[in-house]
Amino acid sequence: MYRLLSGTCLCVVLLNTWIAGRSLAALFDAEHWLSHTLEVIGQTQKTLFDVSTASNYSRAYLLTGDQQYEDDFYKSEKDINQSIDQLQHLTIDSQGQQDRIRVLRQRVAMRMGVMETAINLHRRANGSDADNTVVVPLLSESPDGGISVGYAIQQVELEERRLLETRYQESRSARRGVVAAFATATILDIVLLVLAFELLVRAQRARLELSERADQILHLNSDLKNANTTLEARVEERTKELQVSNQELEAFSYSVSHDLRAPLRTIDGFSLALKEDFSDVLNEEGLDYISRVRGGVQRMGTLIDALLQLSRVTRSEVQREKVDLSQLASIVFNELRLSDPDRTVEWVAQPDVQVMADARLLRVALENLIGNAWKFTSKTPNARIEFGSSSRGNETVYFIRDNGAGFDMNYVDRLFTAFQRLHGDREFKGSGIGLATVSRIIRRHHGTISAESELGHGATFYFTLGR
Ligand SMILES: Nc1ncnc2c1ncn2[C@@H]1O[C@H](COP(=O)(O)OP(=O)(O)OP(=O)(O)O)[C@@H](O)[C@H]1O
Ligand SMILES: [Mg+2]
């Protein structure tokens, strides 16, 4: 915008200068020709004067016989020639004038010739009056144009006067042109000045607004900083509060789980005693109830164990050491194979995968992940479980893969929350705490966990271990 305006201003100023220059040049030109014409007119008058001076000297000589007048006559003849030369030179640009001057020159020559003849006659007659009466009339101008010098000069002058009139008009119009050019330039300059002033005012206003905004931003920034500081302090405070209440909650759930064991053991013991000691008294229905009570007790026992493990994971310190993850995974898998020797499951493990991690917590994580793979391949023929690692950016990702039941990826986010199960208890038994425990262990190592699966085509669980 500003560039465009500056460009326009520059163009206008240049245009003004050009127009003013052109009109001034036209004026100078017209003035030059005007003064030239005046000079030519002056020169014609001087020529006329020189001719009449020569004529006067010749007459004076004829009347007085004074030698001085004769000398002056010859001197003025030279002046006349110079004047005509000058006139010819001044009118070199006009062929018409040159022709007229040629005629003038001839007539002057003729007239001077007549005067010289008269002077010579007079000298020879030795000043007799009779001769003068013959000669003097010869010296007067003849109106027929035979030797009329005045007429010839008049013709030159007339032409110059005609030119003078034309050049006066040209000069007048050049003057008008100059006035118009300067008026236009002045008007344009005023418009430009007004525009420039308007722009300046706007720029100043914009600058003021900008500085006001900058002030506001500074203000807002400092407010934001203050708010941030307050927020940080609040977050810290809340985090501490949360940590404390988390610890309290963990302690509470630990003691609840722990304390629930004793009455559960009592129920378990007495229900067993009831089954063994009173089996002959109880009918079939009674025995069925007792076995249901015992089933529930066992389930509750497993649940309490799982909850205790979950809270232990949070409570214990992470102690990193060098762990052979391949070996640990194989140990966990072999334990599962021993617990269910009837099953045939193919185990594929990448050897020599070393990590720096808490060995005890990693064992719990692998027990859950490989345990899940074991469980969810229980209905798959040619079951296969795989352990391995791969690189992702500058991180190493470890994985447990199986070709079991798999799960619906739409619910993948739920998996790592406690008590969330994607399979029914009749299909695959479990309490839904395993992956929540794994997720906590990985988080405590500053790592990440994720899963990929396709229903009926197995699942893969990936995790990293941070630093
Ligand atoms: N390898 C797997 N294949 C298919 N589904 C899985 C697999 N691992 C976990 N899941 C799904 O995620 C759910 C949560 O797993 P999680 O280990 O937390 O619970 P669980 O195995 O059912 O019970 P728990 O581990 O507490 O005995 C499972 O119920 C199952 O639906
Ligand atoms: Mg599990």
Side-chain angles (χ1 to χ4, degrees):
M1 170 75 173
Y2 286 102
R3 270 195 199 162
L4 187 77
L5 272 169
S6 329
T8 316
C9 287
L10 192 69
C11 286
V12 169
V13 168
L14 286 177
L15 192 74
N16 277 350
T17 316
W18 184 71
I19 292 173
R22 244 178 64 116
S23 54
L24 273 176
L27 179 65
F28 288 149
D29 201 38
E31 294 285 322
H32 163 76
W33 285 113
L34 196 65
S35 71
H36 176 79
T37 311
L38 284 171
E39 196 181 348
V40 176
I41 290 170
Q43 193 61 36
T44 54
Q45 281 166 1
K46 183 174 180 294
T47 311
L48 187 64
F49 174 76
D50 287 346
V51 171
S52 65
T53 307
S55 175
N56 287 341
Y57 281 139
S58 71
R59 272 201 203 108
Y61 174 73
L62 293 178
L63 291 175
T64 61
D66 189 342
Q67 186 60 40
Q68 181 61 42
Y69 287 128
E70 189 188 353
D71 293 346
D72 287 342
F73 169 76
Y74 284 113
K75 240 187 263 163
S76 64
E77 189 179 10
K78 264 190 211 159
D79 290 346
I80 292 168
N81 284 331
Q82 271 176 5
S83 280
I84 295 174
D85 286 347
Q86 180 69 9
L87 205 56
Q88 196 165 19
H89 173 71
L90 285 172
T91 56
I92 198 112
D93 56 308
S94 160
Q95 190 52 49
Q97 288 294 66
Q98 291 285 304
D99 293 344
R100 284 181 201 102
I101 288 165
R102 210 174 304 121
V103 171
L104 171 67
R105 200 185 279 282
Q106 283 166 6
R107 290 191 181 178
V108 167
M110 279 167 70
R111 195 156 152 65
M112 291 306 281
V114 169
M115 281 190 243
E116 268 179 51
T117 314
I119 287 169
N120 288 337
L121 280 174
H122 184 270
R123 199 184 303 119
R124 252 181 266 144
N126 224 354
S128 125
D129 281 349
D131 291 329
N132 280 352
T133 50
V134 177
V135 171
V136 170
L138 281 175
L139 300 177
S140 62
E141 285 271 342
S142 63
D144 58 6
I147 52 167
S148 173
V149 172
Y151 181 74
I153 288 178
Q154 203 184 5
Q155 292 306 305
V156 174
E157 195 179 327
L158 267 176
E159 173 59 16
E160 283 305 317
R161 288 210 180 269
R162 193 187 58 75
L163 276 174
L164 187 68
E165 185 51 38
T166 317
R167 283 172 182 168
Y168 260 133
Q169 272 172 14
E170 279 173 6
S171 165
R172 265 199 297 273
S173 90
R175 260 164 227 249
R176 274 199 297 273
V178 168
V179 170
F182 276 92
T184 316
T186 312
I187 289 168
L188 280 173
D189 287 349
I190 289 171
V191 169
L192 278 183
L193 265 174
V194 169
L195 257 173
F197 181 72
E198 175 70 22
L199 275 179
L200 222 94
V201 168
R202 275 194 204 172
Q204 186 65 18
R205 224 178 275 150
R207 212 173 296 142
L208 270 174
E209 259 176 41
L210 220 67
S211 81
E212 266 171 31
R213 285 218 186 121
D215 279 356
Q216 278 175 355
I217 289 171
L218 274 176
H219 235 79
L220 283 175
N221 250 356
S222 84
D223 284 358
L224 209 70
K225 259 187 202 160
N226 288 345
N228 260 352
T229 321
T230 323
L231 206 70
E232 267 169 30
R234 261 193 222 159
V235 167
E236 214 170 296
E237 200 180 308
R238 288 282 144 82
T239 313
K240 268 187 198 151
E241 280 172 19
L242 259 166
Q243 272 170 350
V244 170
S245 73
N246 250 358
Q247 277 165 3
E248 278 171 3
L249 211 69
E250 288 294 343
F252 174 74
S253 75
Y254 181 79
S255 63
V256 165
S257 315
H258 195 263
D259 293 352
L260 279 175
R261 273 169 172 266
L264 202 64
R265 253 197 310 271
T266 313
I267 299 169
D268 188 40
F270 280 105
S271 62
L272 185 65
L274 200 65
K275 189 183 167 189
E276 284 173 358
D277 299 349
F278 297 91
S279 56
D280 47 342
V281 182
L282 288 167
N283 60 12
E284 214 169 285
E285 203 179 0
L287 284 171
D288 178 48
Y289 288 165
I290 287 177
S291 70
R292 283 184 190 219
V293 169
R294 289 190 53 72
V297 166
Q298 262 171 16
R299 267 181 59 73
M300 197 166 167
T302 323
L303 208 64
I304 287 171
D305 283 348
L307 279 171
L308 277 173
Q309 194 176 54
L310 186 68
S311 56
R312 258 188 232 118
V313 164
T314 320
R315 285 150 68 92
S316 62
E317 273 295 313
V318 174
Q319 281 167 349
R320 289 198 191 241
E321 58 186 305
K322 202 172 170 192
V323 181
D324 186 334
L325 209 57
S326 309
Q327 202 184 13
L328 191 61
S330 294
I331 291 171
V332 170
F333 178 77
N334 281 326
E335 278 173 7
L336 285 164
R337 190 156 32 203
L338 287 174
S339 72
D340 195 352
D342 297 339
R343 281 190 63 190
T344 314
V345 178
E346 186 188 350
W347 170 244
V348 183
Q350 178 186 332
D352 206 28
V353 177
Q354 306 284 341
V355 293
M356 285 296 290
D358 187 309
R360 199 181 52 80
L361 290 176
L362 266 196
R363 188 189 175 99
V364 175
L366 287 178
E367 276 171 0
N368 275 294
L369 290 173
I370 301 172
N372 280 349
W374 181 269
K375 178 162 62 180
F376 292 102
T377 52
S378 59
K379 293 174 184 161
T380 310
N382 305 321
R384 183 175 193 269
I385 302 175
E386 193 185 336
F387 160 76
S389 69
S390 63
S391 284
R392 189 170 61 189
N394 53 359
E395 247 184 347
T396 308
V397 185
Y398 310 96
F399 63 86
I400 303 288
R401 181 172 293 143
D402 66 67
N403 60 348
F407 59 84
D408 186 346
M409 275 301 275
N410 287 322
Y411 307 110
V412 69
D413 293 339
R414 291 194 196 165
L415 293 186
F416 304 100
T417 314
F419 304 115
Q420 291 288 338
R421 306 196 68 233
L422 300 182
H423 296 88
D425 210 32
R426 285 206 190 139
E427 219 185 337
F428 299 102
K429 290 215 173 307
S431 45
I433 293 180
L435 284 182
T437 312
V438 177
S439 169
R440 271 196 197 183
I441 291 171
I442 300 302
R443 242 186 294 142
R444 296 217 60 198
H445 281 83
H446 309 296
T448 55
I449 184 159
S450 58
E452 255 176 24
S453 176
E454 197 184 328
L455 210 56
H457 291 92
T460 308
F461 286 81
Y462 300 95
F463 62 92
T464 62
L465 286 170
R467 279 157 209 272

